[in-house]
Amino acid sequence: MTVVELSRTFASPGVDGALMSWWDADAECTVAIARPSDNDALWQAYLDGAQRSYRMHGITAAIDVDAIHRSGDTTLFWTMLDPTGTVVGGIRAIGPLTSPDETHAVVEWAGQPGLPSVRKMITDRLPFGVVEMKSAWITGEASRNRRLTTTLARAGCQVLAVLGVQFCMATCAQHVLARWRSSGGVVAPIPSTPYPDERFRTKLMWWDRLTVASLAAPSQTAKIIAEMADIRQSLHNSSHHASVRG
């Protein structure tokens, strides 16, 4: 199992155990990055919210909280907390990866024509560092939905800075691709898969540290650059760049 060593010198006192956190004025929430072992209550709140959200959308087949607990494969997780401290969204990171078999993408494309291409794309990028983002969710409140999604989409860029990898991958249902593209994600030219069931056409997306800022929507570019720079500076100031020990 991968162990990520990060200094706590920049942890926010407002989010117990968080490796780093900041206030996002657009979404009116605090974004916090933590490890599951650092704050069990926050980790459980994220998982509970994910389970409720997936159930509400009728896609419980796409998440297995017990399996997530058992696997221990979550390196870091992101939460968005409203001013009352309630978790209103989040996502988790798996990796850096050492094999395509560590990704959930190969499960989603199992038996599909695109599986060899999925495996090759992952394998080709492994030497440069690959992280998979999974289990994204936001609150069902329509008035906040778009702002929270816009903020959460940038987690795919932030993880590149935190872990020092070049690539981030995620699988997304076709109807939400535009939202994730806003942060510089690129849809892979691979046939979609009917996951978690025939109602969906799930696609594979990639974020490349070298291109995210140039490919992002204009409204996202400045925030991506600033957040990635702030994360790198925090790591530099702590004298503990994100390091990985197998």
Side-chain angles (χ1 to χ4, degrees), residues 5-233:
E5 299 176 346
L6 293 171
S7 169
R8 293 169 180 251
T9 58
F10 47 88
S12 166
V15 182
D16 184 37
L19 294 167
M20 58 184 74
S21 63
W22 62 91
W23 174 254
D24 186 286
D26 293 333
E28 297 182 331
C29 68
T30 297
V31 179
I33 305 174
R35 293 172 294 202
S37 60
D38 291 337
N39 187 325
D40 185 66
L42 187 64
W43 172 234
Q44 193 59 53
Y46 157 72
L47 290 175
D48 289 346
Q51 195 166 43
R52 284 194 304 271
S53 177
Y54 281 50
R55 185 185 302 120
M56 182 180 70
H57 290 94
I59 51 173
T60 53
I63 190 167
D64 185 337
V65 170
D66 290 337
I68 293 172
H69 274 299
R70 288 195 304 271
S71 69
D73 63 357
T74 301
T75 306
L76 297 167
F77 70 104
W78 276 242
T79 50
M80 299 187 294
L81 300 92
D82 70 13
T84 71
T86 300
V87 177
V88 293
I91 196 168
R92 65 190 183 100
I94 303 168
L97 306 170
T98 61
S99 164
D101 293 321
E102 295 174 345
T103 73
H104 199 265
V106 298
V107 175
E108 297 174 28
W109 265 267
Q112 296 296 316
L115 180 60
S117 297
V118 169
R119 296 185 67 91
K120 185 176 188 309
M121 290 194 84
I122 297 169
T123 300
D124 288 350
R125 289 162 174 75
L126 288 177
F128 306 98
V130 176
V131 174
E132 183 179 28
M133 301 298 269
K134 291 298 300 177
S135 314
W137 69 275
I138 57 169
T139 181
E141 297 176 20
S143 61
R144 305 189 64 188
N145 185 292
R146 184 167 296 278
R147 288 180 295 148
L148 290 172
T149 302
T150 298
T151 293
L152 189 62
R154 297 198 300 276
C157 304
Q158 295 155 12
V159 72
L160 302 175
V162 177
L163 297 180
V165 297
Q166 184 172 342
F167 294 102
C168 170
M169 58 175 285
T171 59
C172 311
Q174 203 159 25
H175 67 278
V176 297
L177 291 180
R179 299 185 187 184
W180 296 106
R181 277 197 192 105
S182 74
S183 60
V186 176
V187 180
I190 293 172
S192 63
T193 183
Y195 182 87
D197 57 50
E198 291 293 339
R199 294 173 298 166
F200 298 92
R201 292 296 175 265
T202 293
K203 300 287 287 185
L204 177 64
M205 293 193 73
W206 289 97
W207 285 256
D208 182 336
R209 189 181 65 218
L210 304 180
T211 62
V212 287
S214 62
L215 295 176
S219 60
Q220 292 274 59
T221 300
K223 293 167 188 168
I224 289 169
I225 293 172
E227 288 167 354
M228 291 180 74
D230 286 347
I231 289 169
R232 286 192 295 264
Q233 188 62 49

